[in-house]
Amino acid sequence: MPSYQLSQTVDRAEWIARHPRMSRSRVDACVAELLKTLGKQVVVSDRDELLAFSYDATGERHWPDVAVIPETLQQVRTAVAIAHHHGMPIVGRGASTNLSGGTTPLVGGMMVSFARMNRILEVNYEERWVRVQPGVVNADLSAVLQRQGFFYPPDPGSHRVSTIGGNIAENSGGPHCVKYGVTTHHTLALQVVLSDGSLLRMPRVGDTSGGIDITTLLVGSEGTLGLITEAVLAIHPLPIAARTALVSFPDVESAMQSVCALVQARVRPAALELMDKESVRVGEEFVHAGYPLDVGAVLLIELDGSEREISEAMQAVRGVCEKQGAMSLQVAATAEEADNLWRGRRAQYGAAARLAPHLWVQDVTVPRPRLVDMLHRVLEISEQLDLHILTVAHAGDGNLHPDIPYDPRDKDLVARIKAADRAILTTCVQLGGSITGEHGVGIDKAEYLPLMYSPWELEVMNEIKSVFDPDGLLNPLKALWPPGPLPTLPAPKAWPDRFDGVEQLQEALLWNAKNSHPLNIRGRGRRSTPADVAADTVITTNFKQVYDLDLDNLSVEVGAGVTAGDLARLLRSHQVDVPGLEPFMEETVGGLVAVNAPYWRHGGGNGWRDFVLALEWVDARGRVLRFGRKTMKNVAGYDMAKLMVGSRGTLGVITRVTL
């Protein structure tokens, strides 16, 4: 995936200035109608009381004009409809643990707090799902499920206070996502209120019989497309057993070499966390978890499964880490000891926050083998700019969190932090990563989206926003950035004879659009849809190249025309596998993804969307679009790549697939 030069068309101050706050008279009229319709028990209008809704975990402060705290779906719809009528911005809010400014009302408006919509509505242990309201706290849900031997895997660092609605809005991850995936992998269905107060109930994820999988698009959209009022989530049986180990290393390099070696040794930990020397020191001063201080880095490793599986995996961990120069390996003997080791990792944010009035927290994800390079560059940046940076990482999935304690009154320090911010995000993209892993874009990173996306790609995401929210009322100025000058598309000359490259396909689609011809898109194999007799043209993609096979990262990128059988045989020759690919299959990989084809082996889950990391396609306007990265946490903006899964050619012609 390419990286782009940062070509801002506006700066943040100008971007905010384009969206002035409402006049006092319009605000008063809207607030009066809210109070008349919903009452003071739901509506908060006193400025002193609105202070509680003016900030999130970033420390920025922006007052809303009014807040509502609904208890029912109807109250949400009524409040949103009133705000829409008056043209008032609408910002949804969970626990506001957001670290990218996603819930700060930058231009005022109405804050919708879901604190009172906190009920677990239904649990189906047999079919393994739970239906909840958005205000349910992540840890509270886990506590209820554990009593029946189940759990909900996504566990962000803020899980004790963050809510499910906020987790979905941010596509939250956490330590256990290395094995179990992030929020999008566990979100089955959503109920959403749109900006005009209308209700949208979406079908279960993976069920494309009703059309495009919109649920996937809503996950991680940061409240810019709709307000989540109900969610159906996948749950899992608790593992039979779990064991936690703390491994000490003389330096970060040997710790990360161990991570790659564990992948090669087929060890699949439930969690794989890294802390550098400074993070260990600061954490120990705070919680006294018993971490050794004479280290360069530590890995916190959790294994789960049967006792036999854990024993074999722990033996492999010991062998791999010792071979890479581990100084010590401490295995928790009891659940209390394991909790204490985890306390040392989960307390990192609080430990760092003690060092200064504010804490700047970054969140970048790179392919796992590039995490050492990313760490080294962060250290270089800290030295060049004379900054005190602590680093922790979800090492198993390449997600790095550099933290900088600072005093916002020190203007020179703030300027150096902003310079570090730009340098870290630029490096991340150059290494093939995403500028956010689990904290969202919010306002904090919106201006850096041009690093990851071309103007066409930014344009498409803004078009999605305008479809859901044509008046731009939902969480304005968040998660997106204006595209700037758009490249000129080539003038179509004629219909190409062959489609061996993206350029020919682009020309064909431009020609087709100019001549208004219906178009039928096909792959190859038994699952192909018969040609529509009303269509004038049929495209068969012929992209058969293997672009990248990264065994250390467990990812592969291929042309959409590669057959499933060819790819299955290639992967098995390296002793790796992708469910859904069999050596005897003639279907193309792009075709399987486009129809979200079911597969009999390793059934369950949500089909191909669980394995697609990135896609490239050409849309009907001839725009070449690339979304996703070869990392699990790869979405900044909207999850456009997974939107294509099951789209059956209605959104464009897939040319590349990363699994």
Side-chain angles (χ1 to χ4, degrees):
M1 295 291 174
S3 61
Y4 302 95
Q5 295 296 317
L6 186 59
S7 55
Q8 282 182 210
T9 53
V10 294
D11 62 23
R12 180 178 172 183
E14 181 184 347
W15 182 226
I16 295 175
R18 291 184 182 183
H19 299 75
R21 296 180 72 111
M22 294 174 63
S23 66
R24 188 69 256 170
S25 60
R26 290 176 62 201
V27 168
D28 290 345
C30 184
V31 172
E33 185 173 353
L34 287 168
L35 284 168
K36 179 181 178 181
T37 307
L38 297 174
K40 290 185 177 181
Q41 70 276 15
V42 174
V43 181
V44 178
S45 58
D46 182 86
R47 180 171 173 81
D48 290 341
E49 294 180 358
L50 289 174
L51 170 65
F53 303 93
S54 67
Y55 58 88
D56 59 14
T58 59
E60 290 202 31
R61 181 159 292 168
H62 302 271
W63 255 262
D65 295 306
V66 64
V68 297
I69 314 175
E71 296 182 12
T72 67
L73 171 62
Q74 187 55 51
Q75 288 176 342
V76 176
R77 297 186 64 184
T78 299
V80 171
I82 291 172
H84 180 269
H85 173 73
H86 291 274
M88 176 174 279
I90 304 159
V91 181
R93 174 186 170 106
S96 273
T97 56
N98 180 268
L99 289 164
S100 60
T103 54
T104 54
L106 287 175
V107 292
M110 180 179 72
M111 182 73 73
V112 181
S113 168
F114 289 100
R116 293 173 179 165
M117 294 181 66
N118 58 359
R119 294 169 53 215
I120 298 174
L121 301 171
E122 185 178 4
V123 185
N124 189 317
Y125 293 109
E126 183 177 343
E127 296 182 9
R128 300 182 180 180
W129 54 261
V130 59
R131 185 166 61 91
V132 301
Q133 291 182 318
V136 171
V137 173
N138 185 294
D140 292 346
L141 175 61
S142 294
V144 170
L145 296 175
Q146 284 175 7
R147 290 197 287 268
Q148 299 296 325
F150 282 77
F151 77 117
Y152 174 65
D155 59 338
S158 58
H159 71 290
R160 294 189 184 280
V161 290
S162 66
T163 61
I164 294 299
N167 292 169
I168 294 171
E170 298 297 329
N171 192 20
S172 298
H176 290 89
C177 73
V178 62
K179 181 173 183 178
Y180 294 102
V182 293
T183 299
T184 191
H185 298 111
H186 302 276
T187 304
L188 302 180
L190 294 175
Q191 176 181 273
V192 178
V193 171
L194 301 180
S195 62
D196 62 354
S198 59
L199 187 65
L200 182 64
R201 290 188 176 94
M202 287 167 284
R204 182 183 170 118
V205 163
D207 177 12
T208 58
S209 59
I212 303 298
D213 181 5
I214 298 176
T215 301
T216 294
L217 191 66
L218 269 291
V219 178
S221 62
E222 304 186 37
T224 62
L225 302 180
L227 299 180
I228 297 165
T229 55
E230 196 173 291
V232 179
L233 309 170
I235 59 177
H236 297 257
L238 283 168
I240 297 171
R243 201 162 302 158
T244 303
L246 184 72
V247 191
S248 305
F249 295 90
D251 48 52
V252 169
E253 289 84 358
S254 54
M256 278 309 303
Q257 287 166 2
S258 295
V259 171
C260 292
L262 288 171
V263 171
Q264 294 169 355
R266 305 294 192 270
V267 176
R268 192 183 183 195
L272 187 52
E273 301 289 294
L274 179 143
M275 297 166 58
D276 69 4
K277 180 178 182 178
E278 185 65 2
S279 295
V280 170
R281 182 189 67 79
V282 171
E284 272 300 290
E285 290 178 354
F286 183 40
V287 296
H288 310 293
Y291 283 30
L293 295 176
D294 57 338
V295 298
V298 298
L299 287 179
L300 185 66
I301 304 173
E302 182 179 296
L303 303 170
D304 65 11
S306 67
E307 289 290 354
R308 178 180 177 181
E309 290 171 336
I310 292 175
S311 178
E312 292 175 351
M314 190 63 74
Q315 186 176 355
V317 166
R318 188 179 298 275
V320 164
C321 293
E322 288 178 352
K323 187 175 181 179
Q324 299 299 331
M327 300 164 62
S328 65
L329 189 150
Q330 173 188 350
V331 180
T334 64
E336 290 74 20
E337 288 183 15
D339 288 343
N340 196 47
L341 291 179
W342 271 108
R343 193 160 56 94
R345 169 62 183 91
R346 291 195 181 276
Q348 272 302 298
Y349 181 84
R354 295 169 64 242
L355 303 179
H358 285 272
L359 183 66
W360 173 85
V361 181
Q362 193 44 273
D363 166 47
V364 294
T365 302
V366 295
R368 185 171 42 237
R370 307 307 301 272
L371 187 56
V372 171
D373 298 332
M374 189 72 230
L375 279 163
H376 280 311
R377 182 63 183 129
V378 167
L379 294 176
E380 290 172 1
I381 292 167
S382 70
E383 292 177 4
Q384 292 167 359
L385 296 173
D386 190 24
L387 295 171
H388 181 203
I389 298 183
L390 299 82
T391 55
V392 296
H394 305 305
D397 50 66
N399 188 193
L400 181 69
H401 297 312
D403 303 336
I404 304 178
Y406 74 102
D407 187 336
R409 295 169 297 184
D410 187 336
K411 302 304 180 185
D412 176 67
L413 176 58
V414 171
R416 283 183 281 127
I417 288 175
K418 289 183 177 179
D421 201 21
R422 178 182 291 250
I424 288 172
L425 295 177
T426 301
T427 300
C428 161
V429 175
Q430 290 171 345
L431 294 176
S434 170
I435 63 171
T436 182
E438 56 190 2
H439 293 172
V441 172
I443 186 61
D444 181 52
K445 300 180 186 177
E447 62 192 293
Y448 295 109
L449 283 170
L451 285 172
M452 280 185 67
Y453 298 119
S454 73
W456 284 336
E457 291 150 6
L458 293 172
E459 181 184 39
V460 168
M461 288 193 288
N462 278 277
E463 289 169 353
I464 292 286
K465 166 72 170 173
S466 66
V467 169
F468 279 82
D469 181 22
D471 298 310
L473 297 179
L474 287 171
N475 211 6
L477 306 175
K478 311 291 179 57
L480 299 176
W481 196 253
L486 296 169
T488 302
L489 290 167
K493 299 176 182 178
W495 185 262
D497 294 328
R498 292 177 57 84
F499 301 102
D500 295 325
V502 173
E503 295 78 11
Q504 291 95 338
L505 184 56
Q506 185 181 36
E507 183 178 354
L509 288 166
L510 286 166
W511 185 91
N512 198 76
K514 179 181 179 181
N515 291 277
S516 301
H517 283 193
L519 191 63
N520 206 354
I521 301 168
R522 297 183 64 188
R524 188 182 75 188
R526 291 172 289 122
R527 300 179 196 267
S528 296
T529 303
D532 183 351
V533 294
D536 294 311
T537 343
V538 175
I539 287 182
T540 300
T541 57
N542 191 33
F543 305 106
K544 297 183 177 180
Q545 184 174 345
V546 177
Y547 297 102
D548 177 51
L549 175 57
D550 190 340
L551 296 175
D552 287 337
N553 194 56
L554 293 180
S555 63
V556 61
E557 181 181 10
V558 299
V562 170
T563 68
D566 286 345
L567 183 54
R569 288 188 291 273
L570 171 65
L571 295 178
R572 292 188 183 189
S573 71
H574 293 280
Q575 297 182 316
V576 292
D577 180 34
V578 172
L581 300 178
E582 303 292 347
F584 56 81
M585 293 173 64
E586 299 177 355
E587 295 92 336
T588 58
V589 174
L592 293 174
V593 171
V595 301
N596 197 19
Y599 45 85
W600 59 270
R601 186 167 57 90
H602 301 299
N606 300 311
W608 284 94
R609 69 186 294 277
D610 285 346
F611 298 96
V612 168
L613 297 178
L615 290 177
E616 175 190 86
W617 68 93
V618 185
D619 74 358
R621 291 168 55 184
R623 297 176 296 189
V624 181
L625 307 172
R626 302 177 182 91
F627 287 96
R629 295 295 187 270
K630 63 175 191 177
T631 59
M632 182 196 305
K633 300 172 180 174
N634 58 21
V635 179
Y638 299 150
D639 197 346
M640 301 294 294
K642 289 188 176 64
L643 182 67
M644 289 290 291
V645 178
S647 62
R648 298 178 179 269
T650 58
L651 301 179
V653 183
I654 298 173
T655 54
R656 288 197 191 196
V657 180
T658 303
L659 303 169

